Amino acid sequence: MAAKDVAPAVNGHSHRSVVDAPAVNGHSRRVVAAVPTMTLNSGHRMPVVGLGVWRMEKDAVCGLIHAAIRNGYRHFDCAAKYGNEAEVGDALAEAFQTGLVNREDLFITTKLWNSDHGHVVEACKDSLKKLQLDYLDLYLVHFPVATPHTGVGATVSVIGEDGVLDIDTTISLEATWHAMEDLVSMGLVRSIGISNYGVLLTRDCLAYARIKPAVNQIELHPYFQCDSLVKFCQKHGICVTSHTPLGGGCTANAKLFGSLSCLDDPVIKELAEKYSKTPAQLVLRWGLQRNAAVIPKTSKVERLQENLEVLDFDISEEDMEEMKAIDRNHRTNQPAKFWGVDIYA
């Protein structure tokens, strides 16, 4: 039998990781880092640290994903809207074929785009085809808004002559959710969830759901702490994932939205120095200690390991309170800049 190693517990969730794994196709495998998991209400386990592929350049996808796997990442967050599912699929297929990792060892998420709310099954199958997978570990409703259909997987946001996003008012979020539930019964998806839903929309989803959302993926960082939403989700058994765990510190957000970065905050810098960590590592650890999963994005191989080095320390309750005090209710990922309407209003 292969040797086993128990990873450090995060908020009571421990994860057993294979250190010397059985060879696959003659290739030995070695997991560098053991990432803790959280158990979803579906019964499946999701690693609490993952890698987001938003704005990851297509020609860099394969190298970054393979490097991430070698560093111990087992959770990858994708979306039809990101436009690189096919490249992610090629990278995963090569990783499986060469024995770098087994499919069952990975947790793969992707998302339904706004324009496909009326075509949920077709959109999911399109993503599966591009990702070269038989099933998804998690499929999310990307935003709580339906827009005119532009072709399965096209992910176009139609802007009217008035500069405002065209919203399809004939498709309810309830109808979309019931179609998501069908994906589970079809065996295409193991867990389903929501993204960018506030307290009231999440409450509504719970009211009409036959299958409760397993995850609500939201923006969450020290400048946007969403305390009420986090508490509501966790009270009702919905795991929270932060899709923007570094806030304005994400290069893509800074370029797109001109965001204010919490990584430059004097409190964050001072505490990072106290714990001998980078500001980014401190902020990621903050997210974990709020019982949220984090999926930082990076286009730099050297940052992959750095973003995993958040499991070996704890922020004290006193310092967590100090970080709580810097909340600015500042959303950095704001599509209203392009859509002409704030869907969070």
Side-chain angles (χ1 to χ4, degrees):
M1 297 291 292
K4 301 281 185 177
D5 182 42
V6 180
V10 172
N11 301 316
H13 300 280
S14 63
H15 172 59
R16 296 185 66 86
S17 175
V18 178
V19 176
D20 292 304
V24 176
N25 298 330
H27 297 270
S28 62
R29 297 181 296 123
R30 191 169 182 82
V31 175
V32 177
V35 178
T37 63
M38 54 173 57
T39 301
L40 307 180
N41 59 32
S42 61
H44 297 285
R45 298 182 71 85
M46 180 175 72
V48 298
V49 181
L51 176 65
V53 303
W54 183 48
R55 291 179 65 83
M56 191 179 284
E57 296 295 335
K58 292 182 178 182
D59 59 358
V61 166
C62 188
L64 283 166
I65 287 182
H66 289 181
I69 291 172
R70 286 191 292 270
N71 274 279
Y73 285 85
R74 295 295 179 264
H75 177 179
F76 295 94
D77 182 81
C78 314
K81 180 60 176 177
Y82 300 166
N84 56 13
E85 283 181 317
E87 287 72 23
V88 172
D90 288 341
L92 294 176
E94 184 177 334
F96 301 150
Q97 184 179 12
T98 60
L100 183 60
V101 72
N102 289 324
R103 168 64 184 99
E104 58 268 25
D105 295 328
L106 296 185
F107 190 98
I108 308 296
T109 300
T110 197
K111 308 178 189 77
L112 174 79
W113 186 242
N114 308 334
S115 55
D116 282 331
H117 275 225
H119 302 266
V120 174
V121 174
E122 301 97 316
C124 180
K125 288 182 175 179
D126 183 66
S127 287
L128 283 169
K129 182 178 179 181
K130 290 173 180 173
L131 291 167
Q132 301 180 48
L133 299 174
D134 295 324
Y135 68 90
L136 293 169
D137 295 280
L138 179 63
Y139 195 47
L140 303 175
V141 179
H142 202 148
F143 281 99
V145 60
T147 60
H149 186 58
T150 54
V152 172
T155 67
V156 174
S157 297
V158 179
I159 307 298
E161 292 182 0
D162 57 359
V164 176
L165 178 72
D166 284 345
I167 295 176
D168 188 338
T169 59
T170 69
I171 302 175
S172 69
L173 293 177
E174 180 176 357
T176 298
W177 186 253
H178 289 323
M180 295 283 286
E181 293 171 322
D182 291 341
L183 299 176
V184 178
S185 61
M186 295 170 68
L188 298 177
V189 175
R190 291 188 168 179
S191 301
I192 52 176
I194 53 183
S195 182
N196 300 302
Y197 276 51
V199 170
L200 295 182
L201 288 179
T202 304
R203 183 207 68 89
D204 283 355
C205 188
L206 289 171
Y208 53 67
R210 297 190 308 269
I211 300 175
K212 289 173 58 174
V215 169
N216 189 4
Q217 188 180 118
I218 60 174
E219 176 167 346
L220 183 67
H221 49 80
Y223 275 3
F224 195 67
Q225 299 191 17
C226 301
D227 196 50
S228 295
L229 179 55
V230 171
K231 287 178 178 177
F232 181 85
C233 288
Q234 293 175 345
K235 182 180 179 68
H236 292 277
I238 301 171
C239 288
V240 172
T241 296
S242 172
H243 63 58
T244 313
L246 300 177
C250 170
T251 301
N253 277 11
K255 289 181 178 179
L256 277 178
F257 307 112
S259 301
L260 183 68
S261 175
C262 64
L263 300 185
D264 295 325
D265 191 278
V267 170
I268 298 296
K269 287 184 173 181
E270 182 178 348
L271 289 176
E273 186 174 350
K274 172 182 176 179
Y275 290 98
S276 300
K277 293 291 182 177
T278 67
Q281 289 170 327
L282 181 83
V283 168
L284 292 176
R285 182 67 201 184
W286 173 89
L288 293 177
Q289 287 189 210
R290 296 195 70 204
N291 291 312
V294 295
I295 46 172
K297 304 163 181 65
T298 184
S299 58
K300 299 178 181 179
V301 172
E302 60 271 19
R303 288 284 174 82
L304 292 171
Q305 184 59 34
E306 179 181 317
N307 287 343
L308 278 184
E309 292 173 352
V310 296
L311 306 173
D312 59 353
F313 76 109
D314 291 296
I315 303 172
S316 71
E317 290 185 15
E318 180 183 18
D319 291 338
M320 288 291 287
E321 284 297 314
E322 187 173 0
M323 293 177 72
K324 184 175 183 179
I326 68 172
D327 188 7
R328 300 191 181 192
N329 194 31
H330 175 72
R331 185 188 300 278
T332 69
N333 189 324
Q334 179 50 278
K337 179 174 181 179
F338 309 104
W339 293 349
V341 59
D342 183 359
I343 66 166
Y344 301 110

